[in-house]
Amino acid sequence: MSDVIYFDNNATTRIAPQVYEAMAPYLTELYGNPSSIHSFGSRVGRALDRARTQVAGLLGAEDEVEVLFTSCGSEGDNTAIRGILEGAPDRRHFITTAVEHPAVLGLGQHLEKRGYRVTWLGVDENGMLDLEELRDSLSDDTALVSIMYANNETGVVFPVREAGEIVKARGIPFHVDAVQVPGKIELDVKDSPIDLLTVSAHKFHGPKGVGALYVRRGITLRPFIVGGHQERNRRAGTENVAGIVGMGEAAELTGKDIAAERAQLSGMRDQLESALVATCPGARINGGKSERLPNTLNIAFEYLEGESILVLLDEFGICASTGSACTAGSVEPSHVLRAMKVPPQWLQGAVRFSLSRYNTEAEIDFAAEKIPGIIRRLQGLSALGRVGTKEGLPGQA
């Protein structure tokens, strides 16, 4: 077993060896600019074409023309949302959810400052959307609806097809942040109401610094970055060739046997979840009553702080998180858990364990053995700190 037990795969994943091998030539001898007309550059350009076809295959896109390469999921989200809004200047209403990734959450807050009316759809205590709230929020002024496919903190999977059908019935564009989905749920944008969809390579064993945005044929998208002809005039700038080639290889590997990978991940996740619920009194599974990504476990420990748990986990080489990597360092409770109305005694004590194909049952067993002791140790300290307070001891509140 490795010295590092990596359970933070919703933040980023280990690059697959095959991906590294595919990228290596484009970091060394195949360094030409894919836009050059000479044969050396054309050879590199053909590698981009192949990667585009591979990513289109993962997404179920009709053809590779619908795939726009970006630098990451955040850029993909911004490109989709801003590109649609700029193309519809007379519409000033944007709908999203209160539990989005910071890439969409922060942009929505920015749009509010610029005079847009933003509707923040709520979720219930299980992290699930109310589709009637979505239906009632639509208006003739709505320019775009953006709803994540699966939550990065809790793993809760939203009913995107049903949501998209409601949106499309009003003739409104529909964007989906699906960054957490590849390798866990099969994607098929061709037969869906989705107009735009964002993915990022480093979430499915590809390299950091490259992502893709699916743009359905017929959707007019204003470019987010201007100044060049690349990506069919939709994104200026010389392409990250090695990264794109790596993303293509990762897409092909990911699409081979999603059912088997899903079964492997859910088996390990459920094994860890069952062990911790049995050995850690007062533990709460956030989103546990909803459909979840097979690799994601968000568990809260009563009256504790997640950061303290992470510090002690790290002493055993166990890597986990308290939520989104894009909010790391924040002392504020998770906006996702607040939206789910998680009770105060659990709000600060949530830890996310997110698995990948490279995790093993031996690692799960090791974590299940060490974590209860960490929780007991911190609960003892927490009890001492609360003696004489109105909260009392754990279990007495």
Side-chain angles (χ1 to χ4, degrees), residues 224-290:
F224 182 48
I225 300 176
V226 298
H229 66 278
Q230 292 87 356
E231 295 301 298
R232 296 177 173 83
N233 296 306
R234 296 178 297 182
R235 183 188 188 271
T238 302
E239 297 91 345
N240 172 10
V241 176
I244 291 170
V245 168
M247 183 174 193
E249 185 69 18
E252 189 163 307
L253 291 170
T254 296
K256 282 185 175 178
D257 199 346
I258 291 178
E261 187 160 338
R262 182 182 179 90
Q264 176 195 4
L265 293 172
S266 62
M268 291 190 294
R269 190 272 310 275
D270 292 348
Q271 180 183 343
L272 180 60
E273 179 177 313
S274 297
L276 296 184
V277 168
T279 56
C280 300
R284 170 193 172 102
I285 307 301
N286 293 316
K289 294 183 180 179
S290 296

Side-chain angles (χ1 to χ4, degrees), residues 28-340:
T28 52
E29 65 266 22
L30 295 176
Y31 52 83
N33 191 314
S35 298
S36 299
I37 62 173
H38 48 66
S39 58
F40 187 53
S42 297
R43 183 178 175 187
V44 176
R46 287 193 295 273
L48 293 188
D49 293 339
R50 181 173 185 270
R52 202 180 306 276
T53 300
Q54 291 170 312
V55 173
L58 175 68
L59 303 181
E62 189 170 3
D63 62 51
E64 61 274 8
V65 175
E66 296 178 316
V67 175
L68 163 66
F69 286 117
T70 65
S71 66
C72 61
S74 294
E75 185 193 327
D77 288 339
N78 274 257
T79 299
I81 295 169
R82 291 186 170 197
I84 293 295
L85 295 184
E86 288 185 15
D90 295 333
R91 295 189 175 193
R92 304 289 291 179
H93 181 217
F94 171 59
I95 298 176
T96 189
T97 81
V99 295
E100 294 293 311
H101 183 276
V104 174
L105 191 78
L107 178 54
Q109 294 165 345
H110 173 74
L111 291 171
E112 284 184 315
K113 294 176 182 177
R114 293 186 57 196
Y116 279 86
R117 180 169 62 92
V118 178
T119 295
W120 302 96
L121 301 174
V123 295
D124 63 20
E125 63 181 10
N126 298 311
M128 187 51 61
L129 285 175
D130 179 352
L131 293 181
E132 288 307 308
E133 182 186 4
L134 168 62
R135 193 190 308 274
D136 294 342
S137 298
L138 298 171
S139 74
D140 292 339
D141 192 41
T142 305
L144 176 69
V145 175
S146 178
I147 294 176
M148 63 181 4
Y149 201 126
N151 189 266
N152 51 298
E153 293 191 26
T154 63
V156 171
V157 177
F158 285 159
V160 292
R161 176 174 289 277
E162 293 86 346
E165 288 171 351
I166 292 170
V167 173
K168 297 306 294 177
R170 295 289 299 268
I172 298 168
F174 183 49
H175 166 251
V176 171
D177 179 336
V179 164
Q180 295 294 341
V181 170
K184 304 157 194 170
I185 301 173
E186 189 169 1
L187 289 165
D188 185 6
V189 292
K190 181 174 63 177
D191 297 320
S192 80
I194 297 171
D195 294 310
L196 306 107
L197 180 139
T198 305
V199 291
S200 185
H202 77 106
K203 304 294 188 178
F204 54 97
H205 305 290
K208 299 176 185 67
V210 60
L213 175 64
Y214 162 77
V215 184
R216 185 180 295 279
R217 275 185 176 274
I219 294 294
T220 300
L221 187 72
R222 297 286 178 89
F224 182 48
I225 300 176
V226 298
H229 66 278
Q230 292 87 356
E231 295 301 298
R232 296 177 173 83
N233 296 306
R234 296 178 297 182
R235 183 188 188 271
T238 302
E239 297 91 345
N240 172 10
V241 176
I244 291 170
V245 168
M247 183 174 193
E249 185 69 18
E252 189 163 307
L253 291 170
T254 296
K256 282 185 175 178
D257 199 346
I258 291 178
E261 187 160 338
R262 182 182 179 90
Q264 176 195 4
L265 293 172
S266 62
M268 291 190 294
R269 190 272 310 275
D270 292 348
Q271 180 183 343
L272 180 60
E273 179 177 313
S274 297
L276 296 184
V277 168
T279 56
C280 300
R284 170 193 172 102
I285 307 301
N286 293 316
K289 294 183 180 179
S290 296
E291 180 185 355
R292 289 176 292 164
L293 293 172
N295 77 316
T296 304
L297 168 62
N298 189 300
I299 183 168
F301 300 96
E302 197 173 18
Y303 295 115
L304 300 185
E305 293 186 355
E307 290 78 5
S308 299
I309 299 171
L310 295 184
V311 169
L312 296 184
L313 285 173
D314 195 53
E315 293 182 2
F316 292 106
I318 300 173
C319 303
S321 71
T322 54
S324 171
C326 292
T327 57
S330 172
V331 295
E332 293 295 319
S334 160
H335 70 283
V336 174
L337 301 187
R338 289 202 309 269
M340 293 170 63

